[in-house]
Amino acid sequence: MMISTRGRYALRVLIDLAEHNNGRYIPMKDVAARQEISLKYLERILPLLTKAKLIEGVHGKGGGYKLTRPPEAYRVGEILRLTEGDLAPVSCLNTDADPCDRVAECRTIRMWRDFYDITNRYFDGITVADLAATDSPDNYVI
């Protein structure tokens, strides 16, 4: 499994908004500068996050973006499923996949399902607050 740039950058945006949460809207140019991400690329990710109501934005003077809920309420799995479409390791487990004709005799389906479940549980066990914790980048509880 390979997480795309879109998924990684969406996480970085949400972590940055959590770290700089002061109740006000944060200009995306500030986030882009701090995260060293092109503003043009972020402008392609923001509508996805806004449509999913993970962030809200205001245009104009004093505008920007902010989280719609506390950082503890954002699960990494939710964000990755939004940006990646699915975390399934094989196409037959994708949410919108047609039933596989070979599932009855498939020797590997249980392994793939278990891996899929482990992956989802792992990412759902980590929050944006965990990742934004300032004590150590390696110190979050799952």
Side-chain angles (χ1 to χ4, degrees):
M1 169 185 7
M2 180 79 71
I3 303 299
S4 72
T5 304
R6 181 165 62 165
R8 295 190 326 268
Y9 285 5
L11 285 170
R12 286 170 56 186
V13 166
L14 293 171
I15 293 164
D16 190 283
L17 291 175
E19 290 175 333
H20 296 90
N21 184 11
N22 59 9
R24 290 187 236 148
Y25 290 93
I26 299 167
M28 198 46 53
K29 66 178 176 60
D30 295 352
V31 175
R34 282 191 296 265
Q35 295 301 317
E36 299 177 347
I37 300 172
S38 153
L39 184 58
K40 187 172 182 136
Y41 192 86
L42 286 184
E43 288 169 350
R44 293 176 33 204
I45 297 172
L46 297 174
L48 184 65
L49 299 175
T50 304
K51 185 176 178 183
K53 300 192 183 319
L54 297 180
I55 60 174
E56 64 182 11
V58 172
H59 297 286
K61 185 175 173 133
Y65 292 86
K66 66 180 181 177
L67 301 177
T68 58
R69 49 192 203 225
E72 320 54 67
Y74 292 85
R75 301 276 168 193
V76 169
E78 167 191 26
I79 298 156
L80 292 178
R81 284 187 292 274
L82 174 68
T83 57
E84 303 303 314
D86 205 324
L87 299 176
V90 290
S91 61
C92 63
L93 292 179
N94 279 330
T95 307
D96 57 354
D98 292 329
C100 178
D101 295 338
R102 292 190 30 80
V103 73
E105 58 269 350
C106 182
R107 301 288 187 119
T108 60
I109 191 66
R110 192 176 95 217
M111 173 188 68
W112 294 125
R113 281 186 183 142
D114 289 350
F115 181 70
Y116 187 38
D117 290 342
I118 290 167
T119 301
N120 280 294
R121 277 195 316 270
Y122 177 76
F123 286 128
D124 286 338
I126 304 169
T127 69
V128 167
D130 295 329
L131 298 175
T134 57
D135 48 352
S136 168
D138 293 330
N139 191 19
Y140 61 83
V141 179
I142 55 172

mmCIF file of all heavy atoms in Angstrom, residues 16-58:
data_model
loop_
_atom_site.group_PDB
_atom_site.id
_atom_site.type_symbol
_atom_site.label_atom_id
_atom_site.label_comp_id
_atom_site.label_asym_id
_atom_site.label_seq_id
_atom_site.Cartn_x
_atom_site.Cartn_y
_atom_site.Cartn_z
ATOM 1 N N ASP A 16 -1.296 20.898 11.117
ATOM 2 C CA ASP A 16 -0.895 22.298 11.231
ATOM 3 C C ASP A 16 -2.047 23.147 11.784
ATOM 4 O O ASP A 16 -1.847 23.979 12.674
ATOM 5 C CB ASP A 16 -0.441 22.836 9.866
ATOM 6 C CG ASP A 16 0.213 24.187 9.975
ATOM 7 O OD1 ASP A 16 -0.508 25.194 10.126
ATOM 8 O OD2 ASP A 16 1.451 24.267 9.916
ATOM 9 N N LEU A 17 -3.256 22.926 11.280
ATOM 10 C CA LEU A 17 -4.414 23.676 11.782
ATOM 11 C C LEU A 17 -4.660 23.362 13.257
ATOM 12 O O LEU A 17 -5.034 24.249 14.029
ATOM 13 C CB LEU A 17 -5.657 23.368 10.949
ATOM 14 C CG LEU A 17 -5.654 23.901 9.509
ATOM 15 C CD1 LEU A 17 -6.889 23.422 8.765
ATOM 16 C CD2 LEU A 17 -5.552 25.423 9.481
ATOM 17 N N ALA A 18 -4.431 22.122 13.662
ATOM 18 C CA ALA A 18 -4.587 21.746 15.072
ATOM 19 C C ALA A 18 -3.530 22.436 15.939
ATOM 20 O O ALA A 18 -3.840 22.940 17.018
ATOM 21 C CB ALA A 18 -4.497 20.231 15.229
ATOM 22 N N GLU A 19 -2.297 22.451 15.458
ATOM 23 C CA GLU A 19 -1.201 23.055 16.224
ATOM 24 C C GLU A 19 -1.357 24.562 16.373
ATOM 25 O O GLU A 19 -0.905 25.140 17.360
ATOM 26 C CB GLU A 19 0.138 22.757 15.556
ATOM 27 C CG GLU A 19 0.559 21.322 15.659
ATOM 28 C CD GLU A 19 1.825 21.012 14.883
ATOM 29 O OE1 GLU A 19 2.114 21.699 13.879
ATOM 30 O OE2 GLU A 19 2.528 20.074 15.286
ATOM 31 N N HIS A 20 -1.966 25.197 15.388
ATOM 32 C CA HIS A 20 -2.092 26.658 15.400
ATOM 33 C C HIS A 20 -3.523 27.105 15.668
ATOM 34 O O HIS A 20 -3.886 28.247 15.375
ATOM 35 C CB HIS A 20 -1.561 27.231 14.079
ATOM 36 C CG HIS A 20 -0.106 26.979 13.904
ATOM 37 N ND1 HIS A 20 0.384 25.852 13.279
ATOM 38 C CD2 HIS A 20 0.972 27.670 14.331
ATOM 39 C CE1 HIS A 20 1.708 25.876 13.306
ATOM 40 N NE2 HIS A 20 2.093 26.965 13.948
ATOM 41 N N ASN A 21 -4.325 26.215 16.232
ATOM 42 C CA ASN A 21 -5.726 26.498 16.506
ATOM 43 C C ASN A 21 -5.859 27.563 17.588
ATOM 44 O O ASN A 21 -5.485 27.343 18.728
ATOM 45 C CB ASN A 21 -6.433 25.205 16.929
ATOM 46 C CG ASN A 21 -7.912 25.391 17.137
ATOM 47 O OD1 ASN A 21 -8.485 26.417 16.786
ATOM 48 N ND2 ASN A 21 -8.541 24.389 17.723
ATOM 49 N N ASN A 22 -6.361 28.718 17.204
ATOM 50 C CA ASN A 22 -6.569 29.799 18.162
ATOM 51 C C ASN A 22 -8.005 30.330 18.066
ATOM 52 O O ASN A 22 -8.299 31.416 18.534
ATOM 53 C CB ASN A 22 -5.560 30.932 17.925
ATOM 54 C CG ASN A 22 -5.663 31.506 16.523
ATOM 55 O OD1 ASN A 22 -6.572 31.191 15.770
ATOM 56 N ND2 ASN A 22 -4.714 32.359 16.162
ATOM 57 N N GLY A 23 -8.875 29.556 17.415
ATOM 58 C CA GLY A 23 -10.262 29.970 17.256
ATOM 59 C C GLY A 23 -10.499 30.836 16.029
ATOM 60 O O GLY A 23 -11.636 31.076 15.661
ATOM 61 N N ARG A 24 -9.425 31.307 15.418
ATOM 62 C CA ARG A 24 -9.554 32.158 14.230
ATOM 63 C C ARG A 24 -9.221 31.363 12.976
ATOM 64 O O ARG A 24 -8.617 30.297 13.047
ATOM 65 C CB ARG A 24 -8.608 33.357 14.336
ATOM 66 C CG ARG A 24 -9.048 34.332 15.397
ATOM 67 C CD ARG A 24 -8.185 35.583 15.364
ATOM 68 N NE ARG A 24 -7.634 35.729 16.716
ATOM 69 C CZ ARG A 24 -6.477 36.236 17.005
ATOM 70 N NH1 ARG A 24 -5.692 36.671 16.063
ATOM 71 N NH2 ARG A 24 -6.077 36.317 18.245
ATOM 72 N N TYR A 25 -9.602 31.931 11.863
ATOM 73 C CA TYR A 25 -9.269 31.301 10.581
ATOM 74 C C TYR A 25 -7.789 31.526 10.288
ATOM 75 O O TYR A 25 -7.257 32.619 10.511
ATOM 76 C CB TYR A 25 -10.137 31.881 9.463
ATOM 77 C CG TYR A 25 -11.570 31.454 9.588
ATOM 78 C CD1 TYR A 25 -12.496 32.239 10.260
ATOM 79 C CD2 TYR A 25 -12.003 30.232 9.066
ATOM 80 C CE1 TYR A 25 -13.824 31.835 10.395
ATOM 81 C CE2 TYR A 25 -13.315 29.823 9.193
ATOM 82 C CZ TYR A 25 -14.212 30.623 9.861
ATOM 83 O OH TYR A 25 -15.513 30.211 9.998
ATOM 84 N N ILE A 26 -7.146 30.487 9.799
ATOM 85 C CA ILE A 26 -5.713 30.527 9.537
ATOM 86 C C ILE A 26 -5.503 30.591 8.029
ATOM 87 O O ILE A 26 -5.989 29.725 7.288
ATOM 88 C CB ILE A 26 -5.015 29.279 10.118
ATOM 89 C CG1 ILE A 26 -5.228 29.238 11.641
ATOM 90 C CG2 ILE A 26 -3.538 29.250 9.754
ATOM 91 C CD1 ILE A 26 -4.861 27.933 12.290
ATOM 92 N N PRO A 27 -4.810 31.629 7.546
ATOM 93 C CA PRO A 27 -4.575 31.730 6.098
ATOM 94 C C PRO A 27 -3.819 30.502 5.572
ATOM 95 O O PRO A 27 -2.826 30.067 6.173
ATOM 96 C CB PRO A 27 -3.720 32.993 5.958
ATOM 97 C CG PRO A 27 -3.999 33.788 7.198
ATOM 98 C CD PRO A 27 -4.243 32.763 8.279
ATOM 99 N N MET A 28 -4.291 29.960 4.478
ATOM 100 C CA MET A 28 -3.666 28.759 3.932
ATOM 101 C C MET A 28 -2.266 29.059 3.435
ATOM 102 O O MET A 28 -1.425 28.171 3.432
ATOM 103 C CB MET A 28 -4.540 28.161 2.830
ATOM 104 C CG MET A 28 -4.219 26.732 2.499
ATOM 105 S SD MET A 28 -3.977 25.546 3.889
ATOM 106 C CE MET A 28 -5.420 25.716 4.875
ATOM 107 N N LYS A 29 -1.980 30.294 3.069
ATOM 108 C CA LYS A 29 -0.608 30.621 2.657
ATOM 109 C C LYS A 29 0.357 30.432 3.826
ATOM 110 O O LYS A 29 1.499 30.035 3.627
ATOM 111 C CB LYS A 29 -0.519 32.029 2.075
ATOM 112 C CG LYS A 29 -0.798 33.153 3.028
ATOM 113 C CD LYS A 29 -0.640 34.504 2.339
ATOM 114 C CE LYS A 29 -1.001 35.669 3.209
ATOM 115 N NZ LYS A 29 -0.279 35.849 4.420
ATOM 116 N N ASP A 30 -0.113 30.656 5.054
ATOM 117 C CA ASP A 30 0.724 30.426 6.238
ATOM 118 C C ASP A 30 0.985 28.935 6.430
ATOM 119 O O ASP A 30 2.108 28.522 6.728
ATOM 120 C CB ASP A 30 0.070 30.994 7.496
ATOM 121 C CG ASP A 30 -0.058 32.516 7.472
ATOM 122 O OD1 ASP A 30 0.506 33.152 6.545
ATOM 123 O OD2 ASP A 30 -0.723 33.062 8.375
ATOM 124 N N VAL A 31 -0.059 28.124 6.262
ATOM 125 C CA VAL A 31 0.087 26.674 6.380
ATOM 126 C C VAL A 31 1.033 26.171 5.296
ATOM 127 O O VAL A 31 1.938 25.384 5.568
ATOM 128 C CB VAL A 31 -1.278 25.967 6.287
ATOM 129 C CG1 VAL A 31 -1.118 24.452 6.298
ATOM 130 C CG2 VAL A 31 -2.198 26.417 7.425
ATOM 131 N N ALA A 32 0.826 26.641 4.074
ATOM 132 C CA ALA A 32 1.671 26.221 2.950
ATOM 133 C C ALA A 32 3.137 26.551 3.226
ATOM 134 O O ALA A 32 4.021 25.725 2.975
ATOM 135 C CB ALA A 32 1.200 26.881 1.660
ATOM 136 N N ALA A 33 3.391 27.732 3.752
ATOM 137 C CA ALA A 33 4.772 28.140 4.048
ATOM 138 C C ALA A 33 5.375 27.271 5.155
ATOM 139 O O ALA A 33 6.507 26.795 5.025
ATOM 140 C CB ALA A 33 4.810 29.612 4.447
ATOM 141 N N ARG A 34 4.620 27.064 6.219
ATOM 142 C CA ARG A 34 5.142 26.253 7.330
ATOM 143 C C ARG A 34 5.391 24.808 6.909
ATOM 144 O O ARG A 34 6.358 24.185 7.330
ATOM 145 C CB ARG A 34 4.160 26.267 8.513
ATOM 146 C CG ARG A 34 4.197 27.520 9.347
ATOM 147 C CD ARG A 34 3.419 27.355 10.633
ATOM 148 N NE ARG A 34 1.997 27.140 10.433
ATOM 149 C CZ ARG A 34 1.066 28.100 10.457
ATOM 150 N NH1 ARG A 34 1.426 29.354 10.670
ATOM 151 N NH2 ARG A 34 -0.202 27.802 10.272
ATOM 152 N N GLN A 35 4.524 24.275 6.079
ATOM 153 C CA GLN A 35 4.616 22.876 5.666
ATOM 154 C C GLN A 35 5.456 22.678 4.400
ATOM 155 O O GLN A 35 5.676 21.550 3.980
ATOM 156 C CB GLN A 35 3.210 22.298 5.455
ATOM 157 C CG GLN A 35 2.394 22.235 6.723
ATOM 158 C CD GLN A 35 3.061 21.394 7.788
ATOM 159 O OE1 GLN A 35 3.590 20.310 7.515
ATOM 160 N NE2 GLN A 35 3.055 21.883 9.019
ATOM 161 N N GLU A 36 5.890 23.778 3.810
ATOM 162 C CA GLU A 36 6.669 23.730 2.570
ATOM 163 C C GLU A 36 5.938 22.933 1.485
ATOM 164 O O GLU A 36 6.484 22.041 0.844
ATOM 165 C CB GLU A 36 8.065 23.165 2.825
ATOM 166 C CG GLU A 36 8.862 24.007 3.795
ATOM 167 C CD GLU A 36 10.229 23.426 4.125
ATOM 168 O OE1 GLU A 36 10.489 22.243 3.813
ATOM 169 O OE2 GLU A 36 11.044 24.174 4.692
ATOM 170 N N ILE A 37 4.655 23.291 1.331
ATOM 171 C CA ILE A 37 3.792 22.682 0.312
ATOM 172 C C ILE A 37 3.304 23.807 -0.584
ATOM 173 O O ILE A 37 2.925 24.886 -0.109
ATOM 174 C CB ILE A 37 2.580 21.975 0.958
ATOM 175 C CG1 ILE A 37 3.027 20.868 1.916
ATOM 176 C CG2 ILE A 37 1.655 21.413 -0.107
ATOM 177 C CD1 ILE A 37 1.895 20.262 2.738
ATOM 178 N N SER A 38 3.284 23.551 -1.863
ATOM 179 C CA SER A 38 2.797 24.540 -2.817
ATOM 180 C C SER A 38 1.347 24.917 -2.503
ATOM 181 O O SER A 38 0.494 24.049 -2.320
ATOM 182 C CB SER A 38 2.887 23.943 -4.231
ATOM 183 O OG SER A 38 1.940 24.496 -5.084
ATOM 184 N N LEU A 39 1.082 26.222 -2.462
ATOM 185 C CA LEU A 39 -0.278 26.707 -2.231
ATOM 186 C C LEU A 39 -1.200 26.211 -3.338
ATOM 187 O O LEU A 39 -2.345 25.845 -3.089
ATOM 188 C CB LEU A 39 -0.289 28.233 -2.138
ATOM 189 C CG LEU A 39 -1.621 28.875 -1.797
ATOM 190 C CD1 LEU A 39 -2.169 28.357 -0.475
ATOM 191 C CD2 LEU A 39 -1.479 30.389 -1.742
ATOM 192 N N LYS A 40 -0.676 26.167 -4.545
ATOM 193 C CA LYS A 40 -1.469 25.680 -5.684
ATOM 194 C C LYS A 40 -1.893 24.225 -5.469
ATOM 195 O O LYS A 40 -3.029 23.848 -5.754
ATOM 196 C CB LYS A 40 -0.655 25.821 -6.973
ATOM 197 C CG LYS A 40 -1.436 25.518 -8.213
ATOM 198 C CD LYS A 40 -0.628 25.866 -9.447
ATOM 199 C CE LYS A 40 -1.461 25.596 -10.660
ATOM 200 N NZ LYS A 40 -1.402 26.624 -11.641
ATOM 201 N N TYR A 41 -1.010 23.401 -4.928
ATOM 202 C CA TYR A 41 -1.356 22.003 -4.659
ATOM 203 C C TYR A 41 -2.372 21.926 -3.515
ATOM 204 O O TYR A 41 -3.319 21.143 -3.572
ATOM 205 C CB TYR A 41 -0.113 21.181 -4.334
ATOM 206 C CG TYR A 41 -0.397 19.696 -4.342
ATOM 207 C CD1 TYR A 41 -0.342 18.971 -5.528
ATOM 208 C CD2 TYR A 41 -0.754 19.029 -3.185
ATOM 209 C CE1 TYR A 41 -0.629 17.616 -5.543
ATOM 210 C CE2 TYR A 41 -1.031 17.675 -3.192
ATOM 211 C CZ TYR A 41 -0.972 16.978 -4.373
ATOM 212 O OH TYR A 41 -1.267 15.643 -4.391
ATOM 213 N N LEU A 42 -2.185 22.736 -2.486
ATOM 214 C CA LEU A 42 -3.128 22.735 -1.371
ATOM 215 C C LEU A 42 -4.523 23.147 -1.819
ATOM 216 O O LEU A 42 -5.522 22.646 -1.291
ATOM 217 C CB LEU A 42 -2.649 23.653 -0.245
ATOM 218 C CG LEU A 42 -1.501 23.143 0.598
ATOM 219 C CD1 LEU A 42 -1.199 24.115 1.738
ATOM 220 C CD2 LEU A 42 -1.790 21.766 1.159
ATOM 221 N N GLU A 43 -4.591 24.036 -2.770
ATOM 222 C CA GLU A 43 -5.888 24.486 -3.276
ATOM 223 C C GLU A 43 -6.662 23.361 -3.957
ATOM 224 O O GLU A 43 -7.868 23.470 -4.149
ATOM 225 C CB GLU A 43 -5.716 25.687 -4.212
ATOM 226 C CG GLU A 43 -5.335 26.943 -3.458
ATOM 227 C CD GLU A 43 -4.904 28.099 -4.351
ATOM 228 O OE1 GLU A 43 -4.719 27.900 -5.572
ATOM 229 O OE2 GLU A 43 -4.754 29.212 -3.817
ATOM 230 N N ARG A 44 -5.993 22.278 -4.304
ATOM 231 C CA ARG A 44 -6.669 21.108 -4.866
ATOM 232 C C ARG A 44 -7.160 20.172 -3.761
ATOM 233 O O ARG A 44 -8.085 19.393 -3.968
ATOM 234 C CB ARG A 44 -5.737 20.357 -5.807
ATOM 235 C CG ARG A 44 -5.420 21.180 -7.059
ATOM 236 C CD ARG A 44 -4.433 20.565 -7.997
ATOM 237 N NE ARG A 44 -4.458 19.123 -8.081
ATOM 238 C CZ ARG A 44 -3.420 18.387 -8.472
ATOM 239 N NH1 ARG A 44 -2.293 18.970 -8.805
ATOM 240 N NH2 ARG A 44 -3.506 17.081 -8.525
ATOM 241 N N ILE A 45 -6.537 20.230 -2.583
ATOM 242 C CA ILE A 45 -6.905 19.369 -1.459
ATOM 243 C C ILE A 45 -7.998 20.007 -0.596
ATOM 244 O O ILE A 45 -8.883 19.313 -0.088
ATOM 245 C CB ILE A 45 -5.660 19.059 -0.592
ATOM 246 C CG1 ILE A 45 -4.627 18.290 -1.412
ATOM 247 C CG2 ILE A 45 -6.034 18.290 0.661
ATOM 248 C CD1 ILE A 45 -3.296 18.112 -0.710
ATOM 249 N N LEU A 46 -7.958 21.323 -0.445
ATOM 250 C CA LEU A 46 -8.881 22.019 0.453
ATOM 251 C C LEU A 46 -10.358 21.773 0.137
ATOM 252 O O LEU A 46 -11.143 21.546 1.063
ATOM 253 C CB LEU A 46 -8.575 23.516 0.462
ATOM 254 C CG LEU A 46 -7.198 23.886 1.003
ATOM 255 C CD1 LEU A 46 -6.946 25.367 0.842
ATOM 256 C CD2 LEU A 46 -7.047 23.458 2.448
ATOM 257 N N PRO A 47 -10.776 21.784 -1.133
ATOM 258 C CA PRO A 47 -12.201 21.521 -1.402
ATOM 259 C C PRO A 47 -12.645 20.141 -0.924
ATOM 260 O O PRO A 47 -13.769 19.979 -0.439
ATOM 261 C CB PRO A 47 -12.309 21.633 -2.927
ATOM 262 C CG PRO A 47 -11.169 22.503 -3.324
ATOM 263 C CD PRO A 47 -10.064 22.187 -2.346
ATOM 264 N N LEU A 48 -11.789 19.166 -1.029
ATOM 265 C CA LEU A 48 -12.094 17.817 -0.561
ATOM 266 C C LEU A 48 -12.318 17.817 0.954
ATOM 267 O O LEU A 48 -13.289 17.245 1.455
ATOM 268 C CB LEU A 48 -10.949 16.880 -0.942
ATOM 269 C CG LEU A 48 -11.088 15.410 -0.633
ATOM 270 C CD1 LEU A 48 -12.222 14.800 -1.449
ATOM 271 C CD2 LEU A 48 -9.787 14.694 -0.949
ATOM 272 N N LEU A 49 -11.436 18.480 1.686
ATOM 273 C CA LEU A 49 -11.544 18.555 3.138
ATOM 274 C C LEU A 49 -12.752 19.392 3.567
ATOM 275 O O LEU A 49 -13.429 19.070 4.549
ATOM 276 C CB LEU A 49 -10.266 19.139 3.741
ATOM 277 C CG LEU A 49 -8.973 18.359 3.490
ATOM 278 C CD1 LEU A 49 -7.770 19.120 4.040
ATOM 279 C CD2 LEU A 49 -9.055 16.966 4.078
ATOM 280 N N THR A 50 -13.035 20.443 2.808
ATOM 281 C CA THR A 50 -14.177 21.305 3.110
ATOM 282 C C THR A 50 -15.491 20.587 2.833
ATOM 283 O O THR A 50 -16.418 20.624 3.653
ATOM 284 C CB THR A 50 -14.092 22.609 2.288
ATOM 285 O OG1 THR A 50 -12.841 23.246 2.565
ATOM 286 C CG2 THR A 50 -15.221 23.563 2.643
ATOM 287 N N LYS A 51 -15.576 19.925 1.694
ATOM 288 C CA LYS A 51 -16.806 19.205 1.329
ATOM 289 C C LYS A 51 -17.126 18.115 2.357
ATOM 290 O O LYS A 51 -18.290 17.872 2.672
ATOM 291 C CB LYS A 51 -16.662 18.590 -0.059
ATOM 292 C CG LYS A 51 -17.918 17.935 -0.552
ATOM 293 C CD LYS A 51 -17.766 17.416 -1.957
ATOM 294 C CE LYS A 51 -19.051 16.723 -2.388
ATOM 295 N NZ LYS A 51 -18.917 16.136 -3.714
ATOM 296 N N ALA A 52 -16.103 17.483 2.903
ATOM 297 C CA ALA A 52 -16.283 16.448 3.921
ATOM 298 C C ALA A 52 -16.508 17.056 5.313
ATOM 299 O O ALA A 52 -16.643 16.325 6.290
ATOM 300 C CB ALA A 52 -15.074 15.518 3.946
ATOM 301 N N LYS A 53 -16.524 18.387 5.391
ATOM 302 C CA LYS A 53 -16.734 19.125 6.636
ATOM 303 C C LYS A 53 -15.651 18.852 7.693
ATOM 304 O O LYS A 53 -15.903 18.905 8.893
ATOM 305 C CB LYS A 53 -18.127 18.863 7.194
ATOM 306 C CG LYS A 53 -19.232 19.285 6.235
ATOM 307 C CD LYS A 53 -20.566 19.299 6.903
ATOM 308 C CE LYS A 53 -21.708 19.633 5.984
ATOM 309 N NZ LYS A 53 -21.596 20.627 5.011
ATOM 310 N N LEU A 54 -14.432 18.566 7.218
ATOM 311 C CA LEU A 54 -13.303 18.421 8.133
ATOM 312 C C LEU A 54 -12.724 19.786 8.487
ATOM 313 O O LEU A 54 -12.151 19.965 9.563
ATOM 314 C CB LEU A 54 -12.220 17.538 7.521
ATOM 315 C CG LEU A 54 -12.615 16.092 7.227
ATOM 316 C CD1 LEU A 54 -11.445 15.336 6.611
ATOM 317 C CD2 LEU A 54 -13.099 15.392 8.481
ATOM 318 N N ILE A 55 -12.859 20.721 7.552
ATOM 319 C CA ILE A 55 -12.429 22.098 7.784
ATOM 320 C C ILE A 55 -13.507 23.027 7.239
ATOM 321 O O ILE A 55 -14.369 22.609 6.460
ATOM 322 C CB ILE A 55 -11.068 22.427 7.109
ATOM 323 C CG1 ILE A 55 -11.138 22.243 5.591
ATOM 324 C CG2 ILE A 55 -9.948 21.588 7.716
ATOM 325 C CD1 ILE A 55 -9.889 22.683 4.842
ATOM 326 N N GLU A 56 -13.457 24.270 7.669
ATOM 327 C CA GLU A 56 -14.330 25.287 7.097
ATOM 328 C C GLU A 56 -13.476 26.480 6.731
ATOM 329 O O GLU A 56 -12.460 26.739 7.381
ATOM 330 C CB GLU A 56 -15.464 25.669 8.043
ATOM 331 C CG GLU A 56 -15.023 26.310 9.336
ATOM 332 C CD GLU A 56 -16.190 26.624 10.264
ATOM 333 O OE1 GLU A 56 -17.316 26.176 10.010
ATOM 334 O OE2 GLU A 56 -15.947 27.325 11.250
ATOM 335 N N GLY A 57 -13.886 27.171 5.687
ATOM 336 C CA GLY A 57 -13.099 28.293 5.213
ATOM 337 C C GLY A 57 -13.918 29.538 4.997
ATOM 338 O O GLY A 57 -15.131 29.470 4.788
ATOM 339 N N VAL A 58 -13.223 30.661 5.072
ATOM 340 C CA VAL A 58 -13.810 31.964 4.807
ATOM 341 C C VAL A 58 -12.863 32.695 3.875
ATOM 342 O O VAL A 58 -11.646 32.706 4.093
ATOM 343 C CB VAL A 58 -14.001 32.768 6.115
ATOM 344 C CG1 VAL A 58 -14.430 34.191 5.821
ATOM 345 C CG2 VAL A 58 -14.999 32.087 7.027
#
